[in-house]
């Protein structure tokens, strides 16, 4: 998957989990749980959406790689 495709998937997943946020205002290297105020359930929903959209199994061990917008893009682009 290209980085551009990954960015679009991450932005869409964030919008689904937290529709009130301005995706463009999200700092690309800031932790989602702090800046977007995702609680544990929101984060799990976010991970599930990423998994469904990419067809990729995401394990709990991968969660640290999904902490920021940029780290999600990097993870999905591998």
């Amino acid at each position: 998957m290209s980085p551009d495709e990954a960015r679009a998937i991450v932005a869409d997943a964030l919008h689904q989990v937290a529709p009130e946020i301005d995706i463009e205002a999200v700092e690309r290297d800031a932790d989602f749980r702090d800046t977007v105020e995702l609680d544990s359930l929101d984060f799990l929903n976010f991970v599930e959406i990423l998994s469904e959209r990419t067809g990729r199994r995401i394990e709990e061990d991968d969660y640290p790689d999904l902490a920021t917008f940029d780290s999600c893009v990097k993870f999905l682009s591998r």
Side-chain angles (χ1 to χ4, degrees):
M1 168 179 308
S2 76
D4 287 338
E5 291 170 321
R7 275 186 209 90
I9 289 171
V10 172
D12 183 60
L14 273 177
H15 181 69
Q16 287 184 39
V17 171
E20 70 281 356
I21 66 166
D22 177 7
I23 299 295
E24 298 302 318
V26 173
E27 293 181 38
R28 299 307 191 224
D29 60 350
D31 190 297
F32 287 138
R33 293 179 190 193
D34 294 333
T35 59
V36 183
E37 299 180 6
L38 294 184
D39 63 24
S40 296
L41 186 56
D42 290 335
F43 183 76
L44 290 176
N45 288 333
F46 173 71
V47 171
E48 185 176 312
I49 293 167
L50 293 179
S51 182
E52 289 173 1
R53 293 282 311 273
T54 63
R56 182 178 189 166
R57 184 176 171 96
I58 300 174
E59 302 290 338
E60 191 171 344
D61 291 344
D62 298 322
Y63 291 1
D65 293 331
L66 304 174
T68 70
F69 195 98
D70 284 346
S71 67
C72 285
V73 170
K74 184 177 179 181
F75 176 81
L76 296 175
S77 299
R78 289 190 222 154

